[in-house]
Amino acid sequence: MDALNLTLFHWLAAGSRPTPWVLSIASAFALWASWPGALIVAVALWRHRVDRAYLGMVAAAAALTSLLSHAIATSLDVPRPFVLGLAPAYIAHSARGSLPSTHAAVMFMVAFGFLLSPGLRKLGLPLLALAAITGWARVYVGVHFPLDIAAGLVLGAAVAGIAAVGRWLFGLLTLRADPGSPTHQASRSPWRHS
């Protein structure tokens, strides 16, 4: 086990004598933070009609991120802190592989997906904060190492980046497919004098 990962874990985790009110907050975030995130996505679907297709793509990318994360965690089978006896698990959790954190991967993917869209950027900031707090909480309650959260962040960012590139490419393809659009007409011949 990486010494830095262990050091960070011991610094961030509740250990055997947690502060009760901090443990209550961390447990709530570790278990339930995905619901406020889902609420923010629902608000975006309702208020940002122009971005509904993109939000559908973000939802599909979130599902893909979850599948990828589970597959990677299963193949790597890195034990969780409570399995190794490094800390108690303060929430009920299975002992399956922990790297990367699926909670972190999906929540960071959705946050970055929002941040990469100008119309959704303001909602992306609370989603990013929620993902970061949830990552800390899952370390605090003993079910993840900091490296698990960092790996989830990287996986989420990669999938969000691929989705953003896909959106950009789709925009280029639709622009080329609609030669009557004003944007296409203006960009067709940069040398023509109007």
Side-chain angles (χ1 to χ4, degrees):
M1 176 96 16
D2 183 344
L4 177 61
N5 193 30
L6 273 176
T7 301
L8 286 173
F9 174 75
H10 287 301
W11 184 63
L12 293 170
S16 59
R17 294 180 140 178
T19 305
W21 67 270
V22 177
L23 181 59
S24 295
I25 292 170
S27 297
F29 273 98
L31 289 169
W32 308 111
S34 56
W35 291 105
L39 180 63
I40 292 171
V41 173
V43 167
L45 279 166
W46 177 56
R47 297 196 66 193
H48 297 268
R49 295 173 195 272
V50 176
D51 294 310
R52 280 190 179 160
Y54 178 70
L55 287 166
M57 188 171 69
V58 167
L64 175 65
T65 303
S66 178
L67 292 172
L68 284 171
S69 179
H70 281 296
I72 293 167
T74 299
S75 67
L76 295 177
D77 199 27
V78 174
R80 292 178 184 273
F82 68 89
V83 171
L84 295 173
L86 296 172
Y90 289 102
I91 62 172
H93 205 289
S94 70
R96 69 178 183 274
S98 69
L99 177 74
S101 163
T102 300
H103 274 81
V106 172
M107 292 179 79
F108 279 114
M109 186 263 123
V110 172
F112 290 133
F114 272 58
L115 289 169
L116 290 170
S117 178
L120 299 169
R121 201 162 285 147
K122 286 182 184 177
L123 292 173
L125 293 174
L127 285 168
L128 186 62
L130 190 61
I133 293 167
T134 303
W136 159 79
R138 293 187 68 81
V139 172
Y140 190 83
V141 299
V143 298
H144 277 293
F145 287 104
L147 183 60
D148 303 341
I149 306 304
L153 184 151
V154 170
L155 177 60
V159 174
I162 291 167
V165 168
R167 180 185 190 190
W168 177 74
L169 287 173
F170 181 76
L172 285 179
L173 291 174
T174 56
L175 186 65
R176 288 179 186 241
D178 185 10
S181 74
T183 309
H184 187 273
Q185 291 293 333
S187 64
R188 188 169 63 186
S189 178
W191 306 109
R192 184 177 56 204
H193 180 69
S194 307

